[in-house]
Amino acid sequence: MEHSDQPYKYAQHHSEAEGKKTRRMVWNMFWVLLAITSIEVGLGLIWQDWGIPFHLVKMTFIVMTLVKAYFIVAYYMHLKHEKSFLKNSIIIPYVLLALYLIYMVITEGTYTTFMEYLW
Amino acid sequence: MSHTEVVDSKEAWGGGTSPFAAGYGKLMMWFFLMSDALSFTGFLAAYGFFRHNYATIWPTAENVFTHFPFMHGHQPLIYVALMTFILIMSSVTMVLAVEAGQRMDKGAVIKWMFWTIIGGLIFVGSQAWEWYHFIHGTELGAFELGIGTVEINGVVEQTQGIIGRWADESKQVLLLPWRETAGDLTSPYITLTGDALKEALANGQAVYGANMTHNEYGHPLFADFFFFITGFHGTHVFSGVVLNFIIFVNVLMGTYEKRGHYEMVEKVGLYWHFVDLVWVFVFTFFYLI
């Protein structure tokens, strides 16, 4: 695969001490993710009995999910510690196109109402 | 390769070094994952749109996925919560495998990749189990109304395609899923009994389980989206397990030990975390909301 005789320089290596730090971070993140998921499931089971309004529950779920997604991408996928050039070329196109997709669904989605009259 | 032109890394990127400070394979994995994330964004946005559009008659996952293996009774959301935990756990073992690879610790890479593959297999199996129960349906089944009308709070509504659930095994009372306010699942259902029920039974059909056109739990679109989104995600999990297995065999054979780095483990690791990431969203939008 390598066209050069020089050793491959982009592979990441680290020492035992750094590894220890990384492992601690991994397990800390695990407890955070587990805690958020448990709260989500708990909320999903009790919100009707406690009479919490649905739109509030919905927004809480979405915010918690985005927080979880941030932790997974930033720490487990290591994007937080990549070069900003790499970070930006992943995040900026994704966010722009995702917002555009959602905008399209919301505006063009009115079409389904016409479909119902046809049916 | 026939062409063996040697590219000096000093000349690559116009003489500088890569502005990404990442290998080609890893970079392309990131770009692939970004485009794949957009596919899932599209699916979930479409799901969200229809879920909102049919808010009053949309089934809720906690009334659909109520089974737990080897247990009887009503266990809403518990099994899918366990599946989520298993996938998060396999993400943890994957990141530990990547970390071990960066220390060139072959034994630890083998151990953690092994557990990642096991976690992935349990997850795929659980999904198959859930599909089975969803397709199979309940013993009681449901009733799909035919052409007709029903009066709700003084408004006459069309009944065609509406799925009603039986109140109990005697099948004397049919519950129609209209709610007073969208999303408020606590508001009462509309009931059909006596002559109105007889009339409805005459021009509808009994439905058991779910497929692409009928769904005993509610709107057929719910089943379509369920099969499509969890199916597409399940395919990703399955191919992730296959990729992990191939890399696992390479690790066992010492391929990366000879190469001097375990970047391949990092690349499949990215893919595996992505699978977990998508599940975080599917879990929220499909099962919780």
Side-chain angles (χ1 to χ4, degrees):
Chain A
M1 255 201 277
E2 299 301 304
H3 296 287
S4 164
D5 295 333
Q6 295 174 350
Y8 184 68
K9 62 177 176 182
Y10 296 123
Q12 300 193 1
H13 287 281
H14 63 217
S15 64
E16 180 57 48
E18 286 167 297
K20 213 168 178 179
K21 248 170 69 186
T22 310
R23 285 197 294 273
R24 187 159 350 114
M25 176 279 290
V26 169
W27 285 110
N28 285 344
M29 275 305 126
F30 166 72
W31 291 114
V32 171
L33 291 174
L34 185 65
I36 297 176
T37 309
S38 309
I39 294 169
E40 278 184 338
V41 174
L43 190 61
L45 293 174
I46 56 131
W47 71 269
Q48 289 179 50
D49 301 333
W50 288 26
I52 309 168
F54 181 64
H55 61 95
L56 241 142
V57 178
K58 189 164 71 178
M59 281 305 142
T60 315
F61 281 148
I62 291 173
V63 169
M64 282 175 138
T65 304
L66 291 176
V67 170
K68 274 207 289 194
Y70 169 77
F71 283 135
I72 292 173
V73 174
Y75 294 99
Y76 281 7
M77 296 171 90
H78 203 257
L79 194 61
K80 196 182 178 187
H81 304 289
E82 301 288 358
K83 277 261 187 311
S84 60
F85 203 80
L86 173 52
K87 258 192 268 191
N88 292 338
S89 31
I90 300 300
I91 292 168
I92 292 171
Y94 175 75
V95 170
L96 284 180
L97 288 170
L99 288 176
Y100 178 60
L101 264 172
I102 292 166
Y103 165 77
M104 288 274 278
V105 165
I106 291 170
T107 53
E108 298 297 305
T110 50
Y111 167 75
T112 54
T113 327
F114 300 121
M115 285 294 285
E116 264 177 34
Y117 286 114
L118 288 175
W119 181 54
Chain B
M1 273 165 85
S2 57
H3 118 118
T4 52
E5 189 191 352
V6 175
V7 179
D8 187 351
S9 67
K10 291 250 162 52
E11 280 167 33
W13 297 95
T17 43
S18 161
F20 296 102
Y24 173 80
K26 186 173 151 184
L27 204 53
M28 292 305 123
M29 179 56 89
W30 265 113
F31 285 126
F32 162 67
L33 293 181
M34 185 195 54
S35 66
D36 215 11
L38 285 168
S39 311
F40 277 106
T41 309
F43 298 156
L44 286 172
Y47 171 81
F49 175 79
F50 281 106
R51 197 235 174 282
H52 187 74
N53 209 23
Y54 297 109
T56 51
I57 54 168
W58 200 257
T60 44
E62 64 205 65
N63 296 323
V64 178
F65 305 102
T66 57
H67 300 280
F68 198 93
F70 314 115
M71 279 169 78
H72 290 283
H74 193 73
Q75 317 278 347
L77 289 180
I78 302 300
Y79 192 54
V80 72
L82 180 70
M83 281 165 68
T84 307
F85 172 74
I86 289 167
L87 205 59
I88 289 178
M89 205 56 228
S90 81
S91 217
V92 171
T93 56
M94 188 74 235
V95 80
L96 289 172
V98 172
E99 188 276 323
Q102 288 171 354
R103 281 184 290 114
M104 301 300 290
D105 184 347
K106 186 179 162 186
V109 177
I110 291 171
K111 178 176 78 180
W112 293 121
M113 282 213 76
F114 174 77
W115 288 115
T116 308
I117 292 167
I118 297 296
L121 287 175
I122 295 174
F123 185 84
V124 174
S126 303
Q127 262 190 342
W129 187 85
E130 260 205 349
W131 273 49
Y132 171 80
H133 276 273
F134 186 59
I135 293 168
H136 202 69
T138 58
E139 254 174 61
L140 203 55
F143 196 81
E144 188 178 330
L145 299 178
I147 295 169
T149 52
V150 65
E151 199 183 305
I152 299 160
N153 304 330
V155 182
V156 176
E157 299 263 9
Q158 302 283 331
T159 56
Q160 191 180 13
I162 297 298
I163 307 289
R165 309 197 73 177
W166 297 109
D168 54 42
E169 275 152 34
S170 62
K171 297 197 176 182
Q172 295 301 315
V173 180
L174 194 64
L175 306 172
L176 301 188
W178 268 289
R179 298 176 188 118
E180 279 163 2
T181 39
D184 179 10
L185 311 177
T186 51
S187 64
Y189 284 48
I190 285 138
T191 55
L192 276 187
T193 45
D195 286 345
L197 179 63
K198 246 182 223 161
E199 198 185 315
L201 291 185
N203 64 68
Q205 56 166 326
V207 183
Y208 296 92
N211 55 41
M212 298 302 275
T213 46
H214 298 283
N215 173 13
E216 83 157 74
Y217 300 101
H219 202 288
L221 270 174
F222 177 85
D224 297 342
F225 275 113
F226 177 78
F227 289 131
F228 193 63
I229 295 177
T230 66
F232 202 64
H233 177 261
T235 313
H236 277 75
V237 181
F238 180 72
S239 56
V241 170
V242 171
L243 288 175
N244 276 345
F245 185 74
I246 294 168
I247 302 303
F248 179 66
V249 171
N250 276 343
V251 174
L252 282 180
M253 295 196 310
T255 311
Y256 307 124
E257 201 69 29
K258 266 177 259 159
R259 193 176 287 177
H261 61 83
Y262 280 83
E263 204 187 51
M264 233 27 196
V265 176
E266 205 180 325
K267 287 176 213 166
V268 287
L270 284 177
Y271 185 74
W272 192 254
H273 294 313
F274 173 74
V275 165
D276 182 30
L277 178 70
V278 170
W279 184 254
V280 163
F281 282 91
V282 173
F283 178 63
T284 300
F285 287 102
F286 226 101
Y287 291 91
L288 292 177
I289 295 182

mmCIF file of all heavy atoms in Angstrom, chain B residues 171-174 191-201:
data_model
loop_
_atom_site.group_PDB
_atom_site.id
_atom_site.type_symbol
_atom_site.label_atom_id
_atom_site.label_comp_id
_atom_site.label_asym_id
_atom_site.label_seq_id
_atom_site.Cartn_x
_atom_site.Cartn_y
_atom_site.Cartn_z
ATOM 1 N N LYS B 171 -63.619 -9.862 22.856
ATOM 2 C CA LYS B 171 -63.763 -9.142 21.585
ATOM 3 C C LYS B 171 -65.124 -8.466 21.458
ATOM 4 O O LYS B 171 -65.768 -8.489 20.421
ATOM 5 C CB LYS B 171 -63.513 -10.082 20.397
ATOM 6 C CG LYS B 171 -62.097 -10.638 20.383
ATOM 7 C CD LYS B 171 -61.724 -11.213 19.027
ATOM 8 C CE LYS B 171 -60.273 -11.658 19.029
ATOM 9 N NZ LYS B 171 -59.817 -12.184 17.754
ATOM 10 N N GLN B 172 -65.589 -7.865 22.573
ATOM 11 C CA GLN B 172 -66.873 -7.163 22.555
ATOM 12 C C GLN B 172 -66.676 -5.652 22.431
ATOM 13 O O GLN B 172 -67.610 -4.942 22.082
ATOM 14 C CB GLN B 172 -67.659 -7.471 23.836
ATOM 15 C CG GLN B 172 -68.070 -8.932 23.971
ATOM 16 C CD GLN B 172 -68.948 -9.396 22.817
ATOM 17 O OE1 GLN B 172 -69.883 -8.709 22.412
ATOM 18 N NE2 GLN B 172 -68.635 -10.564 22.270
ATOM 19 N N VAL B 173 -65.479 -5.178 22.767
ATOM 20 C CA VAL B 173 -65.218 -3.740 22.743
ATOM 21 C C VAL B 173 -63.951 -3.477 21.918
ATOM 22 O O VAL B 173 -62.907 -4.079 22.173
ATOM 23 C CB VAL B 173 -65.019 -3.176 24.169
ATOM 24 C CG1 VAL B 173 -64.742 -1.682 24.127
ATOM 25 C CG2 VAL B 173 -66.231 -3.488 25.032
ATOM 26 N N LEU B 174 -64.093 -2.588 20.915
ATOM 27 C CA LEU B 174 -62.944 -2.250 20.074
ATOM 28 C C LEU B 174 -62.478 -0.831 20.420
ATOM 29 O O LEU B 174 -63.287 0.101 20.470
ATOM 30 C CB LEU B 174 -63.355 -2.336 18.599
ATOM 31 C CG LEU B 174 -62.238 -2.340 17.561
ATOM 32 C CD1 LEU B 174 -61.362 -3.573 17.696
ATOM 33 C CD2 LEU B 174 -62.820 -2.283 16.159
ATOM 34 N N THR B 191 -64.242 4.112 21.896
ATOM 35 C CA THR B 191 -64.633 2.699 21.911
ATOM 36 C C THR B 191 -65.799 2.446 20.967
ATOM 37 O O THR B 191 -66.660 3.300 20.770
ATOM 38 C CB THR B 191 -65.030 2.255 23.327
ATOM 39 O OG1 THR B 191 -66.054 3.126 23.784
ATOM 40 C CG2 THR B 191 -63.847 2.298 24.270
ATOM 41 N N LEU B 192 -65.794 1.257 20.373
ATOM 42 C CA LEU B 192 -66.901 0.800 19.538
ATOM 43 C C LEU B 192 -67.504 -0.423 20.197
ATOM 44 O O LEU B 192 -66.801 -1.385 20.498
ATOM 45 C CB LEU B 192 -66.404 0.407 18.141
ATOM 46 C CG LEU B 192 -66.212 1.459 17.061
ATOM 47 C CD1 LEU B 192 -65.892 0.782 15.751
ATOM 48 C CD2 LEU B 192 -67.434 2.345 16.911
ATOM 49 N N THR B 193 -68.821 -0.411 20.423
ATOM 50 C CA THR B 193 -69.485 -1.596 20.989
ATOM 51 C C THR B 193 -70.827 -1.792 20.297
ATOM 52 O O THR B 193 -71.268 -0.941 19.526
ATOM 53 C CB THR B 193 -69.752 -1.437 22.501
ATOM 54 O OG1 THR B 193 -70.284 -0.139 22.716
ATOM 55 C CG2 THR B 193 -68.490 -1.634 23.321
ATOM 56 N N GLY B 194 -71.487 -2.907 20.591
ATOM 57 C CA GLY B 194 -72.857 -3.156 20.136
ATOM 58 C C GLY B 194 -73.032 -3.096 18.631
ATOM 59 O O GLY B 194 -72.239 -3.664 17.873
ATOM 60 N N ASP B 195 -74.049 -2.365 18.186
ATOM 61 C CA ASP B 195 -74.390 -2.316 16.762
ATOM 62 C C ASP B 195 -73.298 -1.648 15.934
ATOM 63 O O ASP B 195 -73.004 -2.075 14.813
ATOM 64 C CB ASP B 195 -75.707 -1.545 16.564
ATOM 65 C CG ASP B 195 -76.897 -2.385 17.019
ATOM 66 O OD1 ASP B 195 -76.685 -3.612 17.185
ATOM 67 O OD2 ASP B 195 -77.990 -1.822 17.213
ATOM 68 N N ALA B 196 -72.708 -0.584 16.506
ATOM 69 C CA ALA B 196 -71.640 0.117 15.790
ATOM 70 C C ALA B 196 -70.483 -0.834 15.519
ATOM 71 O O ALA B 196 -69.873 -0.810 14.439
ATOM 72 C CB ALA B 196 -71.149 1.309 16.610
ATOM 73 N N LEU B 197 -70.202 -1.716 16.496
ATOM 74 C CA LEU B 197 -69.124 -2.681 16.327
ATOM 75 C C LEU B 197 -69.486 -3.696 15.257
ATOM 76 O O LEU B 197 -68.674 -4.024 14.391
ATOM 77 C CB LEU B 197 -68.833 -3.386 17.657
ATOM 78 C CG LEU B 197 -67.735 -4.452 17.624
ATOM 79 C CD1 LEU B 197 -66.402 -3.833 17.258
ATOM 80 C CD2 LEU B 197 -67.633 -5.168 18.957
ATOM 81 N N LYS B 198 -70.737 -4.180 15.302
ATOM 82 C CA LYS B 198 -71.200 -5.175 14.322
ATOM 83 C C LYS B 198 -71.042 -4.639 12.901
ATOM 84 O O LYS B 198 -70.570 -5.330 12.007
ATOM 85 C CB LYS B 198 -72.673 -5.516 14.591
ATOM 86 C CG LYS B 198 -72.854 -6.961 15.055
ATOM 87 C CD LYS B 198 -74.323 -7.257 15.261
ATOM 88 C CE LYS B 198 -74.509 -8.056 16.544
ATOM 89 N NZ LYS B 198 -75.879 -7.992 17.046
ATOM 90 N N GLU B 199 -71.449 -3.382 12.745
ATOM 91 C CA GLU B 199 -71.371 -2.738 11.432
ATOM 92 C C GLU B 199 -69.912 -2.638 10.976
ATOM 93 O O GLU B 199 -69.590 -2.913 9.823
ATOM 94 C CB GLU B 199 -71.981 -1.340 11.546
ATOM 95 C CG GLU B 199 -72.370 -0.732 10.211
ATOM 96 C CD GLU B 199 -72.845 0.702 10.400
ATOM 97 O OE1 GLU B 199 -73.638 0.953 11.349
ATOM 98 O OE2 GLU B 199 -72.402 1.560 9.628
ATOM 99 N N ALA B 200 -69.049 -2.264 11.929
ATOM 100 C CA ALA B 200 -67.628 -2.118 11.598
ATOM 101 C C ALA B 200 -67.011 -3.470 11.228
ATOM 102 O O ALA B 200 -66.234 -3.576 10.274
ATOM 103 C CB ALA B 200 -66.877 -1.501 12.768
ATOM 104 N N LEU B 201 -67.390 -4.530 11.977
ATOM 105 C CA LEU B 201 -66.816 -5.847 11.729
ATOM 106 C C LEU B 201 -67.199 -6.365 10.349
ATOM 107 O O LEU B 201 -66.466 -7.141 9.732
ATOM 108 C CB LEU B 201 -67.278 -6.850 12.790
ATOM 109 C CG LEU B 201 -66.741 -6.644 14.206
ATOM 110 C CD1 LEU B 201 -67.195 -7.772 15.103
ATOM 111 C CD2 LEU B 201 -65.242 -6.548 14.213
#
